[in-house]
Amino acid sequence: MSVPTIGGILLIVGAWFTYKGNIYFSIILYFVADICWFIIAFNSGDILGSGLVALGMLLGIGVFIKMNLGIFAKSLEIK
């Protein structure tokens, strides 16, 4: 299985978790998919793309940390 295929599958599963309201797992899956996109951009020599993906990954880590500190809700489900 190729890196783009794995990244695409991770995006689909991440979107499913977002649809179900479980943002915590979707952020984790989107981060792993971003690693795939970073590998693709880096291997193709796209320095700007690699940098932008890395910036997105850093922002995603920031959101993940804020969620674990309780600043953001981990679920969008109405209780």
Side-chain angles (χ1 to χ4, degrees):
M1 197 177 292
S2 68
V3 174
T5 303
I6 294 169
I9 291 170
L10 290 169
L11 286 175
I12 291 169
V13 175
W16 174 254
F17 278 116
T18 301
Y19 175 75
K20 295 303 256 179
N22 195 338
I23 302 303
Y24 186 74
F25 286 123
S26 68
I27 287 177
I28 293 170
L29 290 171
Y30 288 146
F31 182 78
V32 177
D34 281 343
I35 293 172
C36 293
W37 304 135
F38 180 81
I39 292 170
I40 294 166
F42 187 77
N43 284 339
S44 68
D46 185 4
I47 302 303
L48 178 61
S50 298
L52 292 172
V53 171
L55 178 62
M57 291 169 66
L58 289 173
L59 291 172
I61 290 170
V63 170
F64 185 78
I65 290 169
K66 287 182 92 170
M67 284 177 59
N68 281 325
L69 293 175
I71 297 170
F72 289 143
K74 293 180 183 178
S75 175
L76 296 178
E77 293 180 12
I78 297 173
K79 296 184 181 190

